[in-house]
Amino acid sequence: MIYSLCLLLILVGLYGVVASRQTVKIVISLVIMQHGVHLLLLLIGYRDGGSPPIVDSTTTLTSFAGLTVDPLPQALVLTSIVIGLGVLALMVALCVRLYDRYGTFDVTEIRRLRG
Amino acid sequence: MSMIVKTVTRWLKGPILLFGIYIVLYGHITPGGGFGGGVIIACSFILITLALGEKNGLDVFSKGLASRLDSGGLLIFLFVGWLGTYLAAGWASGTFFGNFIATPEQSYFTLLSGGTMPVLNIALGLKVASALFLVFTVLTALRIAQPGLDLEENPEEEGP
Amino acid sequence: MASNIQVLIPLFVALPLAVSLLIQIVARGRPVMAEWLANATMLALVLMTCYAIGDTGLYHMGGWPTPIGIDMRLDALANLLLLAVSLVGFAVALYSVDYMRRFTARGHFYSLFLLMVTGMNGVILAGDLFNLYVFLEVAAVASYSLVAFGCAHEELEASFRYVVLGSLSSALILVAIALVYGITGTLNMAHMAGRIAETGMDAPLLLAFGLFICGFSFKTALVPFHAWLPDAHPAAPAPVSAMLSGVLIKAIGIYVLARLVFNVFGVSESELGLLRWLGILSMVVGGLLAAGQKDIKRLFAYSSISQVGFMVLGLGLGTPLGLVGALYHLINHSMFKSLLFLNAGAVEYATGTRKLKKLGGLNRALPVTGATSLIGSMSIAGVPPFNGFWSKLIIILACVESGYYGFAAVAVAISIVTLAYQLKVQRLAFFASLPGAMQNLRREPRLMALAMILLATGCIALSFAVLGGLRDPWLIGAAQEVLTAGVFE
């Protein structure tokens, strides 16, 4: 059930990318879509009633494997968040530069290339 | 910015920086590490820029220094990894990022354990902090979008 | 020998990354030093690749054993692609010394260029699916910045479209990775292949496979997903276009598709059928749209879509001969498409325009460009005895051998269309008489000419590869065996 909420978030982001008229709104919708994907990735590693995957001097291998949530998707999501940050910085810089050149944030007016 | 915001910023910039350094340093014991701690360190400098103005922010952490720390942090990361090829022993010998700082048994879960991981965390923290501060400063304090401007240079781009 | 190659494998990724950062620190205001560093690094990569030909290896990062750690895998297919990346990269680095002289901030250009090479090498050598995704993103973000490098109107607009579509496809790939991890419980490609072989392709795995195909078809610019390429490749500066069209869409597109279909998910008839239809569609649409273009670089961009369709058709045939054809066409296309884009860049450098109507008679004014562009055009059109002829012949023979006579006929027809538009470019740009407004053009500088001669020599040398036999050309036969060996151990 909660996976379908993640899918809903991804679809909302996708709709925003397709239907937005402004470059900044397209950027924000892409960020929402990436958030949905990260949530999906985190949920794959979730275990009902699990404990955080932190090892201290009392945990053993079997207790760790049996009780905690999966730490690997958490590491994957961290990496992916940082990648998303880099792409976001690039996209915002592009939006600023596009405004310099074309004088508008409207995607339908930024259409010199066709064919 | 009002007097309240400026005064509180002057008090809080130190503890926020210290908290970020704590998260970076204890990255092998508690959650956080290089990425999260670096973001918090960057936030303390961004707070100075936001509350006290861009001149104060750039005085504390200049653009040139941030750019050099950005590349330098990742170079330290790669260098430590490359050292592992020569210095690592045992089953990790001769491999990139092999662990070469030994950890005695009784010092597990303390600060000076975890092999090369604290060093890598510190390098990552430096890189993420300076990269994030540089992105923020370039996009807000150094460039203002104006229509019809005709510029020659390309934007400051950072890798992920 | 074994320990030598073990040390070398991570250096393919670490060396360009370290030099890229070094350029940021050391060569900030000194573009000449950045040029020297970048060219020396690409030359070192070419030498390392030549040294590594014939060797294979599996490298464990940090010594951690296979299911737990991150692997880097060097086999014959990776060797082939590393060769393409480093040779084309070296030629493009030489070319950009002169071409980029009119841009400011050249230090940033070489840093981003080396970051893109790092990303591509990382994708080629990756043995772990998430490592592949991270290096894919590194290469993609570097290419987004490089497309927007000159900050002219078209470059920014093309780069914005490219970024949005690229991020969309990366999000799809990440969803697919999440699904595959959830089902198989591992990210290591060899381990994953074993688990998929045990459980078989049930519905969630089919969904993940479909999402992978969608995401990587964006990166390869196969036809329903090609919308970014005709804007991004012409608008970028010429050396960047050569790298993008020559190696990026192959290293992060076709290579990963081949690995996923043949080595991880296991071959099945429906998967191959999907690849065949995507290939035919790209071939036809790209070829027909290319014939009507008036801008020389946009024509070459659509032609890239068409040739990538040939390669994916060869992959989709699944037989050893088809795979040989696809891989041979891959490395051929790297050589001659990069050469053609560098030629277009030289034409633009000398005349200042890219519209075919305004050009003419450049054979006299730019002799090196004219000669190498003739070699490139003959190669891509499939004129014997150049390398393009052999690879297209092998793909068509493989179609006939597998019984797809319709596909073979379409491939022959599109080859003729390719010949037609390449001849159109040659006639309009190089052979006609020089228009009055274009007398006294500057000849191309020495390093640009050297880079083009290097790639043309590579084209001619590759046509000798078929001397090893039509079924087993030098180096490509070994690469094909990696794919037909099936799922990883």
Side-chain angles (χ1 to χ4, degrees), chain C residues 217-246:
Chain C
S217 301
F218 263 111
K219 305 287 184 193
T220 323
L222 291 177
V223 155
F225 311 99
H226 69 288
W228 56 273
L229 193 143
D231 291 331
H233 284 199
V240 173
S241 297
M243 277 303 269
L244 284 181
S245 202

PDB file of all heavy atoms in Angstrom, chain C residues 217-246:
ATOM      1  N   SER C 217      17.604   3.327 -23.005  1.00  0.00           N
ATOM      2  CA  SER C 217      17.312   3.773 -24.375  1.00  0.00           C
ATOM      3  C   SER C 217      17.346   5.284 -24.474  1.00  0.00           C
ATOM      4  O   SER C 217      17.705   5.835 -25.511  1.00  0.00           O
ATOM      5  CB  SER C 217      15.949   3.289 -24.834  1.00  0.00           C
ATOM      6  OG  SER C 217      15.884   1.912 -24.782  1.00  0.00           O
ATOM      7  N   PHE C 218      16.988   5.993 -23.389  1.00  0.00           N
ATOM      8  CA  PHE C 218      17.180   7.444 -23.377  1.00  0.00           C
ATOM      9  C   PHE C 218      18.647   7.773 -23.577  1.00  0.00           C
ATOM     10  O   PHE C 218      19.014   8.650 -24.339  1.00  0.00           O
ATOM     11  CB  PHE C 218      16.787   8.017 -22.011  1.00  0.00           C
ATOM     12  CG  PHE C 218      15.413   8.578 -21.946  1.00  0.00           C
ATOM     13  CD1 PHE C 218      14.439   7.947 -21.197  1.00  0.00           C
ATOM     14  CD2 PHE C 218      15.102   9.740 -22.602  1.00  0.00           C
ATOM     15  CE1 PHE C 218      13.170   8.469 -21.115  1.00  0.00           C
ATOM     16  CE2 PHE C 218      13.830  10.262 -22.516  1.00  0.00           C
ATOM     17  CZ  PHE C 218      12.865   9.622 -21.767  1.00  0.00           C
ATOM     18  N   LYS C 219      19.507   7.049 -22.830  1.00  0.00           N
ATOM     19  CA  LYS C 219      20.926   7.368 -22.911  1.00  0.00           C
ATOM     20  C   LYS C 219      21.498   7.024 -24.272  1.00  0.00           C
ATOM     21  O   LYS C 219      22.452   7.646 -24.733  1.00  0.00           O
ATOM     22  CB  LYS C 219      21.718   6.608 -21.845  1.00  0.00           C
ATOM     23  CG  LYS C 219      21.223   6.810 -20.441  1.00  0.00           C
ATOM     24  CD  LYS C 219      21.578   8.169 -19.941  1.00  0.00           C
ATOM     25  CE  LYS C 219      21.165   8.310 -18.496  1.00  0.00           C
ATOM     26  NZ  LYS C 219      21.217   9.677 -18.054  1.00  0.00           N
ATOM     27  N   THR C 220      20.944   5.984 -24.921  1.00  0.00           N
ATOM     28  CA  THR C 220      21.458   5.583 -26.226  1.00  0.00           C
ATOM     29  C   THR C 220      20.791   6.350 -27.350  1.00  0.00           C
ATOM     30  O   THR C 220      21.240   6.270 -28.484  1.00  0.00           O
ATOM     31  CB  THR C 220      21.176   4.096 -26.472  1.00  0.00           C
ATOM     32  OG1 THR C 220      21.316   3.396 -25.270  1.00  0.00           O
ATOM     33  CG2 THR C 220      22.099   3.530 -27.485  1.00  0.00           C
ATOM     34  N   ALA C 221      19.721   7.072 -27.064  1.00  0.00           N
ATOM     35  CA  ALA C 221      18.964   7.800 -28.088  1.00  0.00           C
ATOM     36  C   ALA C 221      18.364   6.864 -29.126  1.00  0.00           C
ATOM     37  O   ALA C 221      18.467   7.078 -30.324  1.00  0.00           O
ATOM     38  CB  ALA C 221      19.826   8.871 -28.760  1.00  0.00           C
ATOM     39  N   LEU C 222      17.724   5.802 -28.654  1.00  0.00           N
ATOM     40  CA  LEU C 222      16.932   4.965 -29.552  1.00  0.00           C
ATOM     41  C   LEU C 222      15.581   5.609 -29.763  1.00  0.00           C
ATOM     42  O   LEU C 222      15.206   6.476 -29.003  1.00  0.00           O
ATOM     43  CB  LEU C 222      16.710   3.578 -28.911  1.00  0.00           C
ATOM     44  CG  LEU C 222      17.960   2.762 -28.813  1.00  0.00           C
ATOM     45  CD1 LEU C 222      17.678   1.482 -28.114  1.00  0.00           C
ATOM     46  CD2 LEU C 222      18.495   2.493 -30.188  1.00  0.00           C
ATOM     47  N   VAL C 223      14.885   5.146 -30.862  1.00  0.00           N
ATOM     48  CA  VAL C 223      13.884   6.084 -31.336  1.00  0.00           C
ATOM     49  C   VAL C 223      12.715   6.444 -30.488  1.00  0.00           C
ATOM     50  O   VAL C 223      12.455   7.612 -30.482  1.00  0.00           O
ATOM     51  CB  VAL C 223      13.456   5.809 -32.736  1.00  0.00           C
ATOM     52  CG1 VAL C 223      12.099   6.327 -33.021  1.00  0.00           C
ATOM     53  CG2 VAL C 223      14.289   6.648 -33.594  1.00  0.00           C
ATOM     54  N   PRO C 224      11.927   5.854 -29.735  1.00  0.00           N
ATOM     55  CA  PRO C 224      11.025   6.870 -29.207  1.00  0.00           C
ATOM     56  C   PRO C 224      11.664   7.803 -28.192  1.00  0.00           C
ATOM     57  O   PRO C 224      11.054   8.765 -27.766  1.00  0.00           O
ATOM     58  CB  PRO C 224       9.913   6.101 -28.551  1.00  0.00           C
ATOM     59  CG  PRO C 224      10.113   4.724 -28.854  1.00  0.00           C
ATOM     60  CD  PRO C 224      11.504   4.523 -29.316  1.00  0.00           C
ATOM     61  N   PHE C 225      12.906   7.547 -27.797  1.00  0.00           N
ATOM     62  CA  PHE C 225      13.506   8.316 -26.700  1.00  0.00           C
ATOM     63  C   PHE C 225      14.637   9.207 -27.185  1.00  0.00           C
ATOM     64  O   PHE C 225      15.569   9.478 -26.454  1.00  0.00           O
ATOM     65  CB  PHE C 225      14.115   7.343 -25.676  1.00  0.00           C
ATOM     66  CG  PHE C 225      13.211   6.235 -25.257  1.00  0.00           C
ATOM     67  CD1 PHE C 225      13.314   4.978 -25.808  1.00  0.00           C
ATOM     68  CD2 PHE C 225      12.255   6.446 -24.295  1.00  0.00           C
ATOM     69  CE1 PHE C 225      12.486   3.956 -25.405  1.00  0.00           C
ATOM     70  CE2 PHE C 225      11.433   5.429 -23.892  1.00  0.00           C
ATOM     71  CZ  PHE C 225      11.549   4.186 -24.445  1.00  0.00           C
ATOM     72  N   HIS C 226      14.583   9.644 -28.452  1.00  0.00           N
ATOM     73  CA  HIS C 226      15.766  10.280 -29.007  1.00  0.00           C
ATOM     74  C   HIS C 226      15.693  11.788 -29.001  1.00  0.00           C
ATOM     75  O   HIS C 226      16.550  12.433 -29.561  1.00  0.00           O
ATOM     76  CB  HIS C 226      15.931   9.844 -30.464  1.00  0.00           C
ATOM     77  CG  HIS C 226      14.852  10.421 -31.323  1.00  0.00           C
ATOM     78  ND1 HIS C 226      13.547   9.994 -31.266  1.00  0.00           N
ATOM     79  CD2 HIS C 226      14.872  11.405 -32.233  1.00  0.00           C
ATOM     80  CE1 HIS C 226      12.833  10.687 -32.111  1.00  0.00           C
ATOM     81  NE2 HIS C 226      13.600  11.550 -32.715  1.00  0.00           N
ATOM     82  N   ALA C 227      14.664  12.374 -28.395  1.00  0.00           N
ATOM     83  CA  ALA C 227      14.338  13.780 -28.663  1.00  0.00           C
ATOM     84  C   ALA C 227      15.432  14.739 -28.253  1.00  0.00           C
ATOM     85  O   ALA C 227      15.503  15.839 -28.769  1.00  0.00           O
ATOM     86  CB  ALA C 227      13.048  14.146 -27.949  1.00  0.00           C
ATOM     87  N   TRP C 228      16.300  14.348 -27.343  1.00  0.00           N
ATOM     88  CA  TRP C 228      17.307  15.313 -26.891  1.00  0.00           C
ATOM     89  C   TRP C 228      18.489  15.388 -27.834  1.00  0.00           C
ATOM     90  O   TRP C 228      19.169  16.398 -27.911  1.00  0.00           O
ATOM     91  CB  TRP C 228      17.793  14.922 -25.501  1.00  0.00           C
ATOM     92  CG  TRP C 228      18.323  13.552 -25.414  1.00  0.00           C
ATOM     93  CD1 TRP C 228      17.606  12.416 -25.175  1.00  0.00           C
ATOM     94  CD2 TRP C 228      19.671  13.145 -25.579  1.00  0.00           C
ATOM     95  NE1 TRP C 228      18.429  11.331 -25.190  1.00  0.00           N
ATOM     96  CE2 TRP C 228      19.700  11.755 -25.424  1.00  0.00           C
ATOM     97  CE3 TRP C 228      20.861  13.810 -25.847  1.00  0.00           C
ATOM     98  CZ2 TRP C 228      20.853  11.022 -25.524  1.00  0.00           C
ATOM     99  CZ3 TRP C 228      22.017  13.074 -25.948  1.00  0.00           C
ATOM    100  CH2 TRP C 228      22.002  11.697 -25.784  1.00  0.00           C
ATOM    101  N   LEU C 229      18.759  14.281 -28.575  1.00  0.00           N
ATOM    102  CA  LEU C 229      20.010  14.220 -29.305  1.00  0.00           C
ATOM    103  C   LEU C 229      20.112  15.211 -30.458  1.00  0.00           C
ATOM    104  O   LEU C 229      21.139  15.860 -30.594  1.00  0.00           O
ATOM    105  CB  LEU C 229      20.260  12.786 -29.783  1.00  0.00           C
ATOM    106  CG  LEU C 229      21.661  12.504 -30.291  1.00  0.00           C
ATOM    107  CD1 LEU C 229      22.066  11.122 -29.886  1.00  0.00           C
ATOM    108  CD2 LEU C 229      21.740  12.590 -31.785  1.00  0.00           C
ATOM    109  N   PRO C 230      19.081  15.405 -31.285  1.00  0.00           N
ATOM    110  CA  PRO C 230      19.270  16.352 -32.392  1.00  0.00           C
ATOM    111  C   PRO C 230      19.424  17.799 -31.938  1.00  0.00           C
ATOM    112  O   PRO C 230      19.842  18.633 -32.720  1.00  0.00           O
ATOM    113  CB  PRO C 230      17.997  16.200 -33.226  1.00  0.00           C
ATOM    114  CG  PRO C 230      17.445  14.909 -32.852  1.00  0.00           C
ATOM    115  CD  PRO C 230      17.782  14.721 -31.440  1.00  0.00           C
ATOM    116  N   ASP C 231      19.066  18.107 -30.668  1.00  0.00           N
ATOM    117  CA  ASP C 231      19.353  19.450 -30.164  1.00  0.00           C
ATOM    118  C   ASP C 231      20.700  19.511 -29.500  1.00  0.00           C
ATOM    119  O   ASP C 231      21.447  20.477 -29.675  1.00  0.00           O
ATOM    120  CB  ASP C 231      18.294  19.855 -29.140  1.00  0.00           C
ATOM    121  CG  ASP C 231      16.956  20.063 -29.782  1.00  0.00           C
ATOM    122  OD1 ASP C 231      16.937  20.427 -30.963  1.00  0.00           O
ATOM    123  OD2 ASP C 231      15.948  19.866 -29.093  1.00  0.00           O
ATOM    124  N   ALA C 232      21.050  18.498 -28.705  1.00  0.00           N
ATOM    125  CA  ALA C 232      22.248  18.606 -27.872  1.00  0.00           C
ATOM    126  C   ALA C 232      23.518  18.440 -28.687  1.00  0.00           C
ATOM    127  O   ALA C 232      24.486  19.161 -28.483  1.00  0.00           O
ATOM    128  CB  ALA C 232      22.205  17.563 -26.764  1.00  0.00           C
ATOM    129  N   HIS C 233      23.547  17.488 -29.625  1.00  0.00           N
ATOM    130  CA  HIS C 233      24.819  17.236 -30.299  1.00  0.00           C
ATOM    131  C   HIS C 233      25.227  18.341 -31.247  1.00  0.00           C
ATOM    132  O   HIS C 233      26.405  18.671 -31.318  1.00  0.00           O
ATOM    133  CB  HIS C 233      24.778  15.890 -31.040  1.00  0.00           C
ATOM    134  CG  HIS C 233      24.910  14.736 -30.098  1.00  0.00           C
ATOM    135  ND1 HIS C 233      25.265  13.486 -30.490  1.00  0.00           N
ATOM    136  CD2 HIS C 233      24.737  14.658 -28.773  1.00  0.00           C
ATOM    137  CE1 HIS C 233      25.293  12.697 -29.432  1.00  0.00           C
ATOM    138  NE2 HIS C 233      24.974  13.386 -28.395  1.00  0.00           N
ATOM    139  N   PRO C 234      24.310  18.966 -32.001  1.00  0.00           N
ATOM    140  CA  PRO C 234      24.790  20.072 -32.836  1.00  0.00           C
ATOM    141  C   PRO C 234      25.139  21.313 -32.047  1.00  0.00           C
ATOM    142  O   PRO C 234      26.071  22.024 -32.399  1.00  0.00           O
ATOM    143  CB  PRO C 234      23.609  20.375 -33.770  1.00  0.00           C
ATOM    144  CG  PRO C 234      22.738  19.221 -33.686  1.00  0.00           C
ATOM    145  CD  PRO C 234      22.921  18.636 -32.352  1.00  0.00           C
ATOM    146  N   ALA C 235      24.391  21.575 -30.943  1.00  0.00           N
ATOM    147  CA  ALA C 235      24.608  22.843 -30.263  1.00  0.00           C
ATOM    148  C   ALA C 235      25.908  22.852 -29.477  1.00  0.00           C
ATOM    149  O   ALA C 235      26.468  23.912 -29.222  1.00  0.00           O
ATOM    150  CB  ALA C 235      23.443  23.134 -29.325  1.00  0.00           C
ATOM    151  N   ALA C 236      26.410  21.705 -29.093  1.00  0.00           N
ATOM    152  CA  ALA C 236      27.631  21.666 -28.281  1.00  0.00           C
ATOM    153  C   ALA C 236      28.827  22.084 -29.113  1.00  0.00           C
ATOM    154  O   ALA C 236      28.797  21.985 -30.338  1.00  0.00           O
ATOM    155  CB  ALA C 236      27.829  20.248 -27.754  1.00  0.00           C
ATOM    156  N   PRO C 237      29.911  22.531 -28.474  1.00  0.00           N
ATOM    157  CA  PRO C 237      31.127  22.795 -29.231  1.00  0.00           C
ATOM    158  C   PRO C 237      31.619  21.509 -29.898  1.00  0.00           C
ATOM    159  O   PRO C 237      31.365  20.425 -29.402  1.00  0.00           O
ATOM    160  CB  PRO C 237      32.119  23.265 -28.166  1.00  0.00           C
ATOM    161  CG  PRO C 237      31.338  23.615 -26.997  1.00  0.00           C
ATOM    162  CD  PRO C 237      30.052  22.894 -27.060  1.00  0.00           C
ATOM    163  N   ALA C 238      32.332  21.659 -31.025  1.00  0.00           N
ATOM    164  CA  ALA C 238      32.623  20.489 -31.852  1.00  0.00           C
ATOM    165  C   ALA C 238      33.355  19.355 -31.148  1.00  0.00           C
ATOM    166  O   ALA C 238      32.984  18.196 -31.334  1.00  0.00           O
ATOM    167  CB  ALA C 238      33.398  20.903 -33.101  1.00  0.00           C
ATOM    168  N   PRO C 239      34.398  19.622 -30.317  1.00  0.00           N
ATOM    169  CA  PRO C 239      35.017  18.460 -29.668  1.00  0.00           C
ATOM    170  C   PRO C 239      34.056  17.736 -28.731  1.00  0.00           C
ATOM    171  O   PRO C 239      34.101  16.510 -28.617  1.00  0.00           O
ATOM    172  CB  PRO C 239      36.199  19.068 -28.903  1.00  0.00           C
ATOM    173  CG  PRO C 239      36.047  20.508 -28.960  1.00  0.00           C
ATOM    174  CD  PRO C 239      35.143  20.855 -30.042  1.00  0.00           C
ATOM    175  N   VAL C 240      33.160  18.496 -28.088  1.00  0.00           N
ATOM    176  CA  VAL C 240      32.188  17.872 -27.195  1.00  0.00           C
ATOM    177  C   VAL C 240      31.201  17.030 -27.991  1.00  0.00           C
ATOM    178  O   VAL C 240      30.842  15.918 -27.593  1.00  0.00           O
ATOM    179  CB  VAL C 240      31.450  18.960 -26.390  1.00  0.00           C
ATOM    180  CG1 VAL C 240      30.343  18.364 -25.589  1.00  0.00           C
ATOM    181  CG2 VAL C 240      32.415  19.680 -25.528  1.00  0.00           C
ATOM    182  N   SER C 241      30.767  17.528 -29.164  1.00  0.00           N
ATOM    183  CA  SER C 241      29.876  16.733 -30.015  1.00  0.00           C
ATOM    184  C   SER C 241      30.535  15.430 -30.408  1.00  0.00           C
ATOM    185  O   SER C 241      29.886  14.385 -30.426  1.00  0.00           O
ATOM    186  CB  SER C 241      29.543  17.474 -31.304  1.00  0.00           C
ATOM    187  OG  SER C 241      28.858  18.636 -31.052  1.00  0.00           O
ATOM    188  N   ALA C 242      31.844  15.518 -30.732  1.00  0.00           N
ATOM    189  CA  ALA C 242      32.535  14.302 -31.154  1.00  0.00           C
ATOM    190  C   ALA C 242      32.560  13.279 -30.015  1.00  0.00           C
ATOM    191  O   ALA C 242      32.295  12.098 -30.207  1.00  0.00           O
ATOM    192  CB  ALA C 242      33.956  14.638 -31.606  1.00  0.00           C
ATOM    193  N   MET C 243      32.854  13.753 -28.792  1.00  0.00           N
ATOM    194  CA  MET C 243      32.881  12.827 -27.670  1.00  0.00           C
ATOM    195  C   MET C 243      31.497  12.271 -27.392  1.00  0.00           C
ATOM    196  O   MET C 243      31.311  11.081 -27.171  1.00  0.00           O
ATOM    197  CB  MET C 243      33.362  13.535 -26.403  1.00  0.00           C
ATOM    198  CG  MET C 243      34.834  13.645 -26.273  1.00  0.00           C
ATOM    199  SD  MET C 243      35.663  12.080 -26.327  1.00  0.00           S
ATOM    200  CE  MET C 243      35.689  11.670 -24.630  1.00  0.00           C
ATOM    201  N   LEU C 244      30.466  13.140 -27.397  1.00  0.00           N
ATOM    202  CA  LEU C 244      29.120  12.676 -27.072  1.00  0.00           C
ATOM    203  C   LEU C 244      28.657  11.644 -28.086  1.00  0.00           C
ATOM    204  O   LEU C 244      28.230  10.558 -27.749  1.00  0.00           O
ATOM    205  CB  LEU C 244      28.142  13.846 -27.090  1.00  0.00           C
ATOM    206  CG  LEU C 244      28.159  14.805 -25.929  1.00  0.00           C
ATOM    207  CD1 LEU C 244      27.101  15.851 -26.137  1.00  0.00           C
ATOM    208  CD2 LEU C 244      27.880  14.085 -24.667  1.00  0.00           C
ATOM    209  N   SER C 245      28.739  12.007 -29.378  1.00  0.00           N
ATOM    210  CA  SER C 245      28.200  11.124 -30.394  1.00  0.00           C
ATOM    211  C   SER C 245      29.103   9.936 -30.625  1.00  0.00           C
ATOM    212  O   SER C 245      28.640   8.874 -31.006  1.00  0.00           O
ATOM    213  CB  SER C 245      28.038  11.905 -31.699  1.00  0.00           C
ATOM    214  OG  SER C 245      27.108  11.301 -32.505  1.00  0.00           O
ATOM    215  N   GLY C 246      30.384  10.123 -30.404  1.00  0.00           N
ATOM    216  CA  GLY C 246      31.309   9.054 -30.712  1.00  0.00           C
ATOM    217  C   GLY C 246      31.401   8.008 -29.634  1.00  0.00           C
ATOM    218  O   GLY C 246      31.382   6.825 -29.914  1.00  0.00           O
TER     219      GLY C 246
END
